Amino acid sequence: MRASIPALTLVLALGASLGGCSAGSDDTGEAAPATAPAPVVIGGIDLVQPLRVLGTEPFWAIDVAHETLVLTRPGVADVTAPTSDPVVTGTTAVYSGTTNTGQTLVMTLIATECSDGMSDRIYPLTAKVELGEETLNGCGTTILALSQAPAP
């Protein structure tokens, strides 16, 4: 047992001296930058980017960002749902979650051109949203693409 006490002391001292080191650090002591999530693309749209899906008659919009989905409608309280990455099969992506009101929400995006029926704007994604027993149909793209598009 005597021979292992100096060895244990050496291991503890070595561990303490290396305690400030980490695999993600460089010589400046700053952490390595986080890597960006890999793109998930359908219809030329990167689903990792913040998205807006919207419809008319009735008017509604869903914003998807930072693993949260928010449904807004005039005169109705916003509905939120945590969401993970979509399940992508070919040219279709499906988001699902349980809303803050306890309803199941499933949003399916399909890589087909879509018109909102009210403007001349063409969107790269067609959307179907199922909220409990209600179905909403609309179109979608990234929020960045919407902000850069000319006004209808």
Side-chain angles (χ1 to χ4, degrees), residues 71 73 79-81 97-106 130-134:
L71 168 64
R73 298 179 279 186
V79 174
T80 62
T98 302
T99 69
N100 58 324
T101 60
Q103 294 178 294
T104 299
L105 187 143
V106 177
E130 297 168 279
L131 176 63
E133 299 294 319
E134 185 177 10

Side-chain angles (χ1 to χ4, degrees), residues 26-59:
D26 59 18
D27 290 338
T28 63
E30 294 179 23
T35 57
V40 177
V41 179
I42 66 166
I45 299 300
D46 181 0
L47 302 179
V48 173
Q49 300 301 313
L51 302 175
R52 172 146 312 137
V53 179
L54 50 89
T56 59
E57 299 180 29
F59 288 102

Side-chain angles (χ1 to χ4, degrees), residues 13 17 19 35 45 56 67 72 74 78 82 85 90-91 95-96 116-117 127 138 146:
S17 68
T35 57
I45 299 300
T56 59
E67 299 179 355
T72 56
D78 289 356
D85 293 334
T91 59
Y95 293 84
S96 60
D116 62 16
L146 278 176

